[in-house]
Amino acid sequence: MDEVIRLLREQTVLCSRLTELFAELKEVIKKNSTETGAVVQKIEPLLRDLVNNEKSSREFLKGRKVETFAAFIESCEYNIQRELSERLLQKSFDLQKQLKQQTEEVGKLLKSGMAYVDFNLNILSRTTTSNIYGATSETKSSGGRRIFDANV
């Protein structure tokens, strides 16, 4: 049971820190700041640690021949360690839900940013579109080359 508590505690701490950093990343992206790289560099080692924790958890569960921590905890007798592990499991689950929501929000912000970049590049390259969907784009620039298809 000590191993379960250690793994769940580590997972909870990592997920907690990642939710904080993803919130910071969202704010940096919203402000269009140049600090994005610094925040991402903080996130990367935590993600590696979380992957290592996941591998250790799978090995532990495989050794005990159970599918999930919840199943393992349920099979143990009721004591203080079981209660602590149940709380850690619930907290880890809640943090993972928050983390998933934040990653989806960051993904939406990044898609919006990419659409903005595409739009501005189309303007700079003077790419126009026709009235028909899927028709070839034309350029009015003197070079005759285009960078992207029109998104306008």
Side-chain angles (χ1 to χ4, degrees), residues 13-106:
V13 168
L14 289 170
C15 288
S16 176
R17 182 70 179 130
L18 280 169
T19 54
E20 293 170 4
L21 287 174
F22 268 92
E24 185 179 336
L25 181 62
K26 279 189 331 189
E27 292 305 313
V28 167
I29 291 173
K30 286 178 183 177
K31 291 179 182 177
N32 201 17
S33 176
T34 59
E35 299 174 8
T36 307
V39 177
V40 170
Q41 286 178 349
K42 292 177 189 175
I43 290 173
E44 287 175 345
L46 292 174
L47 289 175
R48 278 193 297 272
D49 291 345
L50 192 60
V51 167
N52 291 337
N53 176 275
E54 178 66 24
K55 287 179 185 176
S56 299
S57 297
R58 284 185 196 161
E59 289 173 9
F60 174 83
L61 292 172
K62 187 177 180 181
R64 302 298 189 271
K65 298 179 182 174
V66 291
E67 293 291 317
T68 63
F69 278 123
F72 177 76
I73 293 169
E74 194 173 296
S75 68
C76 295
E77 65 182 56
Y78 190 79
N79 57 22
I80 294 174
Q81 289 181 327
R82 178 178 171 174
E83 186 176 327
L84 176 62
S85 58
E86 286 173 345
R87 287 184 192 165
L88 285 170
L89 185 63
Q90 183 61 44
K91 187 170 183 172
S92 176
F93 179 73
D94 293 341
L95 287 169
Q96 288 176 17
K97 280 176 54 176
Q98 287 178 2
L99 191 57
K100 182 180 178 185
Q101 180 182 5
Q102 286 183 333
T103 55
E104 289 171 355
E105 291 173 7
V106 168

Side-chain angles (χ1 to χ4, degrees), residues 1-9 81 84-85 88:
M1 191 60 101
D2 291 335
E3 182 72 10
V4 172
I5 292 171
R6 184 190 67 78
L7 289 169
L8 288 173
R9 185 174 285 146
Q81 289 181 327
L84 176 62
S85 58
L88 285 170

